[in-house]
Amino acid sequence: MRSKYSAFAAVPYYVWMALFTVAPLAMVAVFAFTDESGAFTMEHISRVGEYTNVLVRSVWLAAIATAICLVVAYPLAYIMSRQSGAKQRTMVMLIMLPMWMNFLLRTYAWMTILEKNGLINRFFGLFGIGPFDMINTSGAVVLGMVYNYLPFMILPLYTIMVKIDDRVIEAAQDLGANPLKVAARVVLPLSVPGISTGITMVFVPAVSTFIISRMLGGGGNLLIGDLIDLQFLGNAYNPHLGSAISLVLMVIILLCMSLTNQFGGDEEREGMLV
């Protein structure tokens, strides 16, 4: 009786997945391997190679943004995890606070900060420096990625690190390990699942973004997300080519996720609190 009830309760989930996950993926696959008449073709898949430079640029900038997020988030997450309960809740709220604002508004704010007449160039202008060309550059795109997706790196790391028992760290210190060894041989191995999850949660949206690159990168920093967007909503309307590019991008993302998951498969590790 219980198993029947559980299966019945899962029906809404199956319907949701079928309508909004399986069906769109199937449509993408169909459009990628068919032409305007509906006949099977590999032409659109073969044309994806024409945009290799855009794909490489997207992966490269997303990888840089992910690495920066990891470097910034790791010590911050560790500091948060060692605080008292009230301080932890306050710090988590402060990290989540910018995400309550609309994504477009947050990105638009960076446009006003980085442009030639923006806040940064005005500040440097007080000292007779500049103006600097910061907007419409690859650096601006990476900055936008880091700003928007940094919480997705901090929270998984914090969730894992808060489970690390303080007694494990104290035991390592009692055995003569200095802070560097404690970080490298105790904290880092135990936080690998959080690193894996954070990398996935940052890299996947970063590699497929189009709003950030459009608003902060200008036309000279076209990413794969912009290219897909142009095929569906732009003047170069070609949903078959757009679906083919989307399919290739999904394969690349799945490969990257499979690589990161190799390092974060153990859910329970010695030294963590259950």
Side-chain angles (χ1 to χ4, degrees), residues 151-171:
F152 297 114
M153 181 68 76
I154 296 175
L155 296 179
L157 287 170
Y158 162 74
T159 303
I160 289 294
M161 289 182 178
V162 78
K163 298 178 182 178
I164 300 177
D165 195 339
D166 287 331
R167 292 171 296 182
V168 177
I169 298 177
E170 293 173 359

Side-chain angles (χ1 to χ4, degrees), residues 48-61:
V48 175
E50 300 175 8
Y51 307 99
T52 302
N53 58 334
V54 178
L55 184 59
V56 171
R57 184 189 305 120
S58 302
V59 173
W60 174 244
L61 294 182

Side-chain angles (χ1 to χ4, degrees), residues 167-188:
R167 292 171 296 182
V168 177
I169 298 177
E170 293 173 359
Q173 293 172 341
D174 291 341
L175 292 173
N178 57 38
L180 184 59
K181 287 186 177 180
V182 171
R185 298 190 177 184
V186 178
V187 179
L188 181 59

Side-chain angles (χ1 to χ4, degrees), residues 11-89:
V11 169
Y13 168 76
Y14 293 136
V15 173
W16 178 275
M17 291 293 293
L19 291 177
F20 299 105
T21 302
V22 178
L25 289 177
M27 291 178 63
V28 168
V30 169
F31 270 78
F33 291 103
T34 57
D35 56 16
E36 289 75 7
S37 63
F40 176 82
T41 179
M42 293 292 293
E43 176 186 357
H44 304 296
I45 295 294
S46 62
R47 287 189 59 189
V48 175
E50 300 175 8
Y51 307 99
T52 302
N53 58 334
V54 178
L55 184 59
V56 171
R57 184 189 305 120
S58 302
V59 173
W60 174 244
L61 294 182
I64 294 175
T66 303
I68 295 174
C69 285
L70 179 59
V71 171
V72 174
Y74 197 89
L76 178 58
Y78 179 77
I79 293 172
M80 290 172 55
S81 67
R82 302 300 103 184
Q83 302 299 315
S84 63
K87 289 184 179 180
Q88 288 183 24
R89 290 189 292 271

